[in-house]
């Protein structure tokens, strides 16, 4: 028996709207707003608990150390942590905005995950994403690797690919696994936005290369006959789909996507059918541009939903952001979708507005890890979500997180101290061991 687990990235104490992600419309348009870190982390925790309560396997991944002071030391600043922080904000405020970002909350970008039935060596493989396109995100992969190693001690956790443009990688946000039964061979679809060796084009950045996708598929020991590569369309990247999971989500046999998502949809369908032949019949649910225009897709995050199967239900459930309910075209589409007899039988809405304002919907906040029962049994127990962990994390957040953070609050060194105190206590709650964070290892 196997199930899909969701591991949600806990939203960190420095959650703010930095306007750091070129090509991510929500990040740009909400830049400089006052954020609500406590509300944000609780929204994420409530979503995670609701999945656990509905019978899914659910875990959490810790937020990362922010501010990330090792870079300041490497870049020639010295003194105590507080001195570093103050000098940094005086001399390099643009850099500091990157070093303070709580972006590791978007766990769909933490890694690419290949479940053990797909891998020749029969092991679960994870490759932390180098996230090399955006400075604030390129800081993540080292701490991500440590967190994944801690959560999945039995798995093969690879190094991130080289942090270079040819190998730009954004993890599971550009990866979909389709299958009939989760414990059996599936089809892994890798979606990339550019050829790493091609000359740069104008427009918003394409954050995933073909070279990165191919390298990961090879390193994960995937069977080539069951692996598909497809190109994301330039049109959707320029409309604001900086990851494939803004225009596509898949689960079991079903791929749910927008008409404009891919450069060549017919070839994609043929390739998936061929890769699935003898295993299952893929089901394609394509949303036409005339029903939901791409701009509405980007605003509502219709596809950045979790497509899950609850126990004892044949049909899939779409866990969509409340923004999808509030937009007429997407609400109407969802109503029509569940009235039909297709694979998606229900849509539930979840409020993750704090994250949404930075371009992160319900699907961004979780990393999917399909595991056999015997693998789930080996997952670090303190990172598995249940009512008790939810209560203790909520209490922890209420104790340590600020209610609001405005851009003028960020240079306050007390924010750093508060963040480190919170993370220090979190290492005990999640039993991450001493020295998990750089500041706990004497080289902050
Ligand atoms: O990488 N936003 C994230 C959102 C990631 C969403 N993830 C998925 N689609 N899977 C990004 O663009 C904005 C941070 C800021 O502006 O403060 C940011 O990094």
């Amino acid at each position: 028996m196997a199930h899909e687990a969701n591991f949600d990235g806990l939203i960190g104490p420095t959650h703010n709207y930095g306007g750091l992600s070129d090509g991510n419309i929500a990040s740009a348009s909400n830049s400089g707003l006052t954020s609500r870190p406590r509300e944000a982390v609780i929204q994420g925790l409530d979503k995670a608990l609701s999945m656990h309560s509905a019978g899914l396997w659910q875990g959490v991944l810790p937020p990362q150390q922010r501010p990330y002071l090792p870079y300041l030391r490497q870049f020639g600043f010295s003194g105590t942590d507080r001195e570093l922080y103050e000098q940094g904000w005086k001399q390099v405020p643009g850099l500091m905005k990157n070093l303070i970002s709580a972006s590791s909350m978007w766990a769909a970008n933490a890694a690419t995950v290949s479940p053990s039935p797909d891998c020749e060596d029969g092991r679960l493989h994870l490759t932390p994403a180098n996230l090399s396109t955006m400075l604030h995100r390129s800081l993540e992969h080292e701490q991500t690797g440590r967190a994944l190693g801690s959560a999945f001690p039995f798995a093969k956790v690879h190094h991130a690919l080289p942090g270079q443009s040819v190998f730009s990688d954004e993890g599971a946000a550009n990866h979909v696994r389709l299958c009939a039964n989760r414990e059996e061979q599936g089809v892994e679809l890798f979606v990339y936005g550019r050829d790493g060796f091609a000359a740069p084009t104008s427009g918003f950045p394409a954050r995933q290369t073909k070279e990165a996708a191919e390298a990961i598929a090879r390193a994960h020991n995937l069977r080539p006959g069951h692996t598909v590569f497809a190109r994301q369309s330039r049109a959707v990247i320029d409309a604001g789909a900086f990851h494939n999971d803004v225009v596509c989500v898949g689960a079991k046999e079903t791929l749910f996507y927008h008409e404009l998502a891919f450069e060549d949809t017919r070839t994609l369908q043929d390739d998936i059918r061929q890769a699935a032949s003898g295993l299952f019949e893929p089901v394609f649910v394509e949303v036409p541009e005339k029903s939901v225009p791409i701009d509405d897709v980007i605003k509502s995050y219709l596809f950045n939903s979790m497509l899950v199967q609850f126990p004892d239900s044949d049909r899939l459930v779409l866990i969509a952001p409340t923004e999808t309910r509030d937009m007429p075209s997407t609400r109407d589409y969802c109503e029509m979708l569940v009235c039909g007899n297709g694979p998606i039988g229900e849509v539930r809405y979840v409020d993750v507005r704090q994250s949404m304002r930075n371009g992160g919907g319900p699907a961004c906040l979780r990393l999917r890890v399909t595991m056999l029962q015997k693998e789930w049994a080996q997952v670090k127990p303190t990172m598995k979500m249940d009512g008790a962990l939810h209560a203790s994390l909520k209490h922890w957040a209420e104790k340590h997180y600020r209610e609001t953070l405005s851009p003028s609050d960020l240079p306050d060194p007390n924010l750093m101290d508060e963040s480190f105190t919170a993370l220090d206590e979190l290492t005990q709650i999640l039993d991450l061991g001493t020295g998990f964070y750089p500041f706990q290892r004497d080289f902050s």
Side-chain angles (χ1 to χ4, degrees), residues 18-21 24 27 106 109 136-137 173 207 243 245 358-359 364:
L20 300 173
S21 280
N24 171 341
S27 156
W106 298 299
N109 304 117
H136 67 294
R137 306 223 56 186
R207 300 199 204 172
H243 292 134
D245 70 2
N358 255 337
C364 296

Side-chain angles (χ1 to χ4, degrees), residues 199-218:
T201 50
S202 56
F204 285 149
R207 300 199 204 172
Q208 182 85 33
T209 67
K210 187 169 188 238
E211 285 69 19
E214 288 172 346
I216 290 168
R218 224 177 283 120

Side-chain angles (χ1 to χ4, degrees), residues 7 57 116 122-124 148-155 371-384:
F7 276 76
W57 290 349
S116 52
R123 276 183 91 182
L124 172 70
L148 296 176
S150 205
F152 310 107
F154 56 92
M371 280 173 281
L372 305 175
Q373 177 81 53
K374 65 177 188 214
E375 293 171 324
W376 174 245
Q378 295 171 69
V379 169
K380 192 176 181 66
T382 45
M383 292 169 85
K384 290 182 178 176

Side-chain angles (χ1 to χ4, degrees), residues 115-133:
S116 52
D118 294 353
C119 305
E120 294 266 18
D121 61 358
R123 276 183 91 182
L124 172 70
H125 285 252
L126 302 100
T127 298
N130 61 31
L131 296 165
S132 61
T133 308

Side-chain angles (χ1 to χ4, degrees), residues 228 349 351:
V228 174
Y349 296 102
D351 179 2

Side-chain angles (χ1 to χ4, degrees), residues 173-403:
N174 294 321
H175 176 253
V176 181
R177 178 179 194 249
L178 302 177
C179 62
N181 299 308
R182 292 205 157 97
E183 61 273 23
E184 288 165 10
Q185 172 77 54
V187 168
E188 297 204 15
L189 166 65
F190 292 79
V191 182
Y192 59 90
R194 68 186 167 91
D195 177 341
F197 290 110
T201 50
S202 56
F204 285 149
R207 300 199 204 172
Q208 182 85 33
T209 67
K210 187 169 188 238
E211 285 69 19
E214 288 172 346
I216 290 168
R218 224 177 283 120
H220 286 193
N221 284 302
L222 297 184
R223 298 177 180 92
H226 300 297
T227 309
V228 174
F229 300 93
R231 190 171 184 133
Q232 194 180 13
S233 77
R234 191 12 84 186
V236 291
I237 295 174
D238 285 339
F242 52 95
H243 292 134
N244 177 60
D245 70 2
V246 176
V247 285
C248 168
V249 58
K252 302 291 297 283
E253 298 90 344
T254 300
L255 193 69
F256 177 53
Y257 59 91
H258 190 263
E259 182 185 356
L260 303 180
F262 306 106
E263 203 64 65
D264 181 350
T265 309
R266 295 306 144 226
T267 303
L268 166 100
Q269 291 183 348
D270 289 346
D271 290 352
I272 291 177
R273 273 195 203 96
Q274 167 133 19
S277 86
L279 302 174
F280 61 94
E281 191 59 48
V283 180
F284 300 107
V285 182
E286 182 172 308
V287 179
E289 169 74 8
K290 67 174 172 6
S291 305
V292 185
I294 188 69
D295 288 347
D296 286 4
V297 167
I298 304 296
K299 285 194 199 103
S300 68
Y301 262 37
L302 166 65
F303 295 96
N304 201 256
S305 299
M306 299 164 63
L307 193 52
V308 297
Q309 187 171 35
F310 291 124
D312 308 324
S313 156
D314 285 344
R315 295 175 84 193
L316 298 168
V317 179
L318 193 73
I319 311 291
T322 47
E323 285 76 357
T324 293
R325 182 197 60 202
D326 298 341
M327 161 93 56
S329 63
T330 46
R331 184 184 52 232
D332 290 354
Y333 183 85
C334 287
E335 280 171 11
M336 191 205 73
L337 186 68
V338 299
C339 286
N341 57 359
I344 302 174
E346 188 186 343
V347 180
R348 292 187 196 172
Y349 296 102
V350 61
D351 179 2
V352 288
R353 190 148 294 175
Q354 283 292 312
S355 165
M356 279 288 285
R357 290 202 177 121
N358 255 337
C364 296
L365 287 163
R366 58 87 176 102
L367 182 68
R368 301 199 272 187
V369 187
T370 291
M371 280 173 281
L372 305 175
Q373 177 81 53
K374 65 177 188 214
E375 293 171 324
W376 174 245
Q378 295 171 69
V379 169
K380 192 176 181 66
T382 45
M383 292 169 85
K384 290 182 178 176
M385 175 56 79
D386 58 16
L389 182 62
H390 178 271
S392 84
L393 290 174
K394 193 168 171 195
H395 175 73
W396 164 80
E398 280 163 350
K399 178 167 153 201
H400 295 288
Y401 280 51
R402 290 194 184 189
E403 212 164 312

Side-chain angles (χ1 to χ4, degrees), residues 82 85-86 402 409-421:
R82 281 178 82 92
Y85 196 73
E86 282 166 343
R402 290 194 184 189
D409 296 328
L410 298 180
D412 175 6
N414 292 329
L415 176 64
M416 173 181 70
D417 290 347
E418 288 160 25
S419 173
F420 288 2
T421 304

